[in-house]
Amino acid sequence: MTNAQNPTIDRDVVVIGAGPAGLMAAYTLKKAGKSVAVLEARERVGGRTWNGKVAGTDGKEHFIEIGGQWISPDQTRLTELVEELGLNTFPRYREGTSIYVDPEGNRHEYTGDRLPVKESTNKEMDKLIDLMNSVAEEVGATEPWAAERAAELDSISFKDFLAQHTDDQEAIDNVSIYVASGMLTKPAHTFSALQAALMAASAGSFSNLVDEDFILDKRVEGGMQSVSLTLAEHLGEDVFLGSPVRELEWATPDPSTADELNKIAADVRNGVENGVLGPVTAVSDKVTVNAKAAVLAVPPNLYNRIQFVPPLPREQQVAHQHISMGLVIKVHAVYETPFWREEGLSGTGFGGGRLVQEVYDNTNYGKNFAGGTSGEEDTNGTLVGFVSDVYAEEMWALPAEERKQRILSAMADYLGPKTMEPIAFYLSDMAAEEWTRGAYATSYDLGGLSRWGHLQNQPTGPIFYACSDIAAEGYQHVDGAVRMGEAAARAILEAR
């Protein structure tokens, strides 16, 4: 049925979500000659990548990347796409000495890739990193749930797993930071050693994960959201913004499941034939789309925002209740100049277990939608810091000014009193966003990855899944989203 407020259109494929995964799926399908419609709940594309602005004390607007921003050397598919779309990248500033703040609050300057801790702690850190390299290689990124020790590794928290191999708490804090607060943004006692091994395997090794010069290598001029914005330009009117999908009709119920005695309607609790094209209808706020397949390109914690008709099979219903987002505050502080450079500092700071556990120079380069000049670095200096998991909860409970002072003070522990005097200050609050509800990505409860991981990339009937949360290579990164979007499109093109 068609009406002026909500017209019905026909497409080969309907894509739900206009982040990098959904847009890449649609882009790939359209290049292959298929018709698509991309339905996005937000009034913008980009998902968890988001170019933003913050007004300074003088009213000047400064460019910030509210969401994901970095590209590492292993993220080859994203790098290829950036080049294909005609976008440029620039390296993160890392010249000068870095700062480490130890558990007693003492500040140490250092160079190189080894933290200035006592030799015994360094040896324990090396031992733990070697251990996790071995476990990451053992389980791999593609099917960690199929590893011989998957259930065993999934039954113990990452924190307890590390504690089984060392009693040096500083070593544990400094190693776990790279997965706990740095990636999954959950305390290390809330996710498994298997989940941590997947995180490491997806980056190529745990050694890559702990190397900030590797993981935080380059940025996209104009911001990472430029990737999505450029893809959306290629798709044109096939992208519908401000149009959350409320209902997805996707299968014919199995009559044998009906229970007339208890008034239970027929459903597909026992599953359907997966990966086979069939009629689907997506009902959104602005348009209804009839298609042969759907790509669900939103994080798993948002799957339940859609009413599936009929309901998804029982195993999917259960599995989706054991996947959740982490919580992190991304801190943006803009200064008149990058003062730390004048003091011979790189702007990089680490402190395992501290309120702000990581700080980096995030000064902009090139043109962006708040200004900037091609080929030139911004004269203002920008720092980015991260407040993760329980600390983020603590900060959001404070009044705004107290929160600001606490966070800046924690950053000043690394870079000195000038850190307390930004001309602009902004906190990314992805957890308050209705269509994100956390950051950076979802992960399983203890025991969940080995139990349900095999379901996450398996199509459900004509529904195909695509997001960074379920990627192998590039897990939790834009690269993973791009890979998954492309893979979903190819699976549809090959489906019968």
Side-chain angles (χ1 to χ4, degrees):
M1 182 179 294
T2 301
N3 61 62
Q5 284 69 43
N6 194 320
T8 296
I9 61 176
D10 295 327
R11 295 289 191 272
D12 290 322
V13 182
V14 59
V15 179
I16 302 169
L23 292 169
M24 188 62 184
Y27 177 69
T28 304
L29 288 162
K30 194 167 183 178
K31 285 200 300 183
K34 300 298 181 182
S35 60
V36 298
V38 183
L39 306 179
E40 169 56 48
R42 301 177 182 87
E43 292 292 349
R44 62 173 180 84
V45 301
R48 285 165 277 178
T49 62
W50 188 1
N51 297 340
K53 300 177 184 179
V54 58
T57 51
D58 60 356
K60 178 184 175 182
E61 293 180 342
H62 300 271
F63 178 76
I64 56 174
E65 294 197 64
I66 297 172
Q69 62 175 67
W70 280 296
I71 305 176
S72 55
D74 62 311
Q75 295 173 19
T76 54
R77 188 62 192 96
L78 175 58
T79 299
E80 292 168 356
L81 179 62
V82 166
E83 292 174 356
E84 180 183 335
L85 297 177
L87 303 173
N88 298 316
T89 61
F90 66 97
R92 178 176 64 86
Y93 183 85
R94 61 196 84 182
E95 297 176 18
T97 57
S98 299
I99 303 298
Y100 173 67
V101 178
D102 66 29
E104 287 73 42
N106 300 310
R107 182 177 178 275
H108 308 268
E109 293 191 17
Y110 71 100
T111 57
D113 57 2
R114 295 183 71 83
L115 295 179
V117 298
K118 54 183 180 286
E119 188 56 31
S120 60
T121 296
N122 245 328
K123 288 181 178 178
E124 292 303 294
M125 289 175 60
D126 287 343
K127 182 175 75 174
L128 294 178
I129 291 169
D130 288 343
L131 170 70
M132 290 307 300
N133 277 333
S134 176
V135 176
E137 185 176 359
E138 174 189 346
V139 305
T142 307
E143 294 183 315
W145 48 84
E148 184 177 348
R149 292 201 297 155
E152 174 190 341
L153 292 167
D154 210 23
S155 67
I156 183 171
S157 74
F158 185 43
K159 177 181 179 181
D160 289 343
F161 182 72
L162 296 179
Q164 285 183 347
H165 296 87
T166 184
D167 58 2
D168 189 320
Q169 190 59 49
E170 186 175 5
I172 291 173
D173 287 344
N174 287 340
V175 169
S176 65
I177 182 178
Y178 297 101
V179 179
S181 60
M183 289 294 179
L184 302 183
T185 60
K186 293 178 178 179
H189 66 269
T190 65
F191 60 88
S192 73
L194 183 65
Q195 189 84 60
L198 166 60
M199 189 76 252
S202 74
S205 70
F206 198 85
S207 293
N208 285 345
L209 205 60
V210 304
D211 182 354
E212 82 279 0
D213 285 346
F214 182 88
I215 291 294
L216 314 180
D217 184 27
K218 295 179 180 179
R219 295 171 60 194
V220 177
E221 287 187 34
M224 184 66 82
Q225 191 189 1
S226 301
V227 173
S228 293
L229 291 167
T230 308
L231 287 172
E233 288 176 7
H234 286 278
L235 295 167
E237 294 182 354
D238 291 328
V239 179
F240 298 82
L241 301 179
S243 195
V245 173
R246 306 299 184 180
E247 182 178 288
L248 184 63
E249 299 176 20
W250 66 281
T252 301
D254 176 2
S256 69
T257 60
D259 181 351
E260 293 184 12
L261 188 63
N262 293 298
K263 295 183 171 53
I264 297 175
D267 55 33
V268 293
R269 68 188 67 187
N270 299 319
V272 294
E273 188 175 5
N274 294 325
V276 177
L277 302 185
V280 297
T281 299
V283 181
S284 73
D285 284 5
K286 290 184 178 177
V287 64
T288 294
V289 183
N290 294 323
K292 301 170 186 173
V295 177
L296 190 52
V298 300
N301 65 308
L302 297 182
Y303 291 170
N304 64 7
R305 295 302 307 275
I306 300 169
Q307 180 180 359
F308 294 90
V309 181
L312 293 174
R314 63 162 68 79
E315 58 184 4
Q316 294 279 2
Q317 300 268 31
V318 174
H320 298 164
Q321 297 177 60
H322 295 271
I323 307 173
S324 61
M325 277 280 183
L327 177 63
V328 67
I329 300 172
K330 184 178 183 182
V331 183
H332 312 261
V334 184
Y335 300 87
E336 286 287 356
T337 64
F339 65 85
W340 51 93
R341 298 184 189 178
E342 300 159 11
E343 299 169 12
L345 301 176
S346 65
T348 298
F350 288 105
R354 304 188 68 78
L355 172 61
V356 177
Q357 298 192 50
E358 302 171 83
V359 178
Y360 302 102
D361 185 320
N362 210 40
T363 302
N364 294 311
Y365 180 91
K367 215 171 160 49
N368 55 65
F369 78 156
T373 304
S374 295
E376 294 183 13
E377 187 178 54
D378 194 350
T379 56
N380 296 124
T382 302
L383 291 174
V384 63
F386 297 93
V387 181
S388 191
D389 53 74
V390 293
Y391 284 123
E393 292 173 359
E394 180 185 337
M395 289 301 99
W396 287 129
L398 297 177
E401 188 57 34
E402 182 181 354
R403 180 190 310 128
K404 177 181 178 180
Q405 294 306 311
R406 284 277 304 276
I407 291 173
L408 286 173
S409 179
M411 294 171 67
D413 289 344
Y414 301 103
L415 300 175
K418 291 181 182 178
T419 314
M420 301 295 297
E421 303 170 0
I423 58 174
F425 183 80
Y426 186 90
L427 302 179
S428 296
D429 188 6
M430 303 296 276
E433 273 221 305
E434 181 180 6
W435 303 109
T436 305
R437 300 190 171 191
Y440 306 111
T442 60
S443 53
Y444 288 90
D445 297 346
L446 276 173
L449 180 57
S450 62
R451 187 175 174 186
W452 297 297
H454 69 281
L455 296 173
Q456 63 185 23
N457 295 323
Q458 173 185 290
T460 306
I463 303 172
F464 296 75
Y465 300 95
C467 60
S468 63
D469 312 68
I470 57 176
E473 292 85 359
Y475 170 51
Q476 295 213 358
H477 294 285
V478 178
D479 179 76
V482 170
R483 290 175 187 270
M484 294 306 297
E486 191 170 47
R490 287 176 175 169
I492 290 170
L493 292 172
E494 295 169 4
R496 58 185 173 84

